[in-house]
Amino acid sequence: IWSFELEPTATGTRVVQRREAPTGTSKVSQTLVKYVLGGTEAFDDELTAGMNATLARLKTEIEASARV
């Protein structure tokens, strides 16, 4: 589960990004991460980069719409 929590603050918005696997991951997923996706650390780094890219795009869109 990849989620973002947005909360208004006095100066803007607080954003919490989260990645969860509440029931764990399957053996197939674990094998793919290990042998196809470069291992857990590389996979986690790639997911974090993706989440940060999503937040940057959201920020750009929200700020552009606020100027209109």
Side-chain angles (χ1 to χ4, degrees):
I1 301 168
W2 180 349
S3 63
F4 297 96
E5 182 179 311
L6 306 173
E7 176 184 320
T9 68
T11 58
T13 303
R14 177 177 178 260
V15 180
V16 176
Q17 59 184 357
R18 184 172 301 137
R19 178 180 150 237
E20 302 173 83
T23 60
T25 57
S26 69
K27 292 290 183 191
V28 170
S29 180
Q30 292 170 23
T31 300
L32 289 171
V33 167
K34 184 175 182 178
Y35 295 108
V36 177
L37 301 172
T40 303
E41 188 173 331
F43 181 62
D44 286 348
D45 289 347
E46 187 174 340
L47 286 176
T48 299
M51 293 174 88
N52 288 334
T54 299
L55 287 172
R57 287 191 301 272
L58 283 169
K59 182 179 187 287
T60 298
E61 291 296 322
I62 290 166
E63 288 176 347
S65 68
R67 283 185 238 124
V68 174

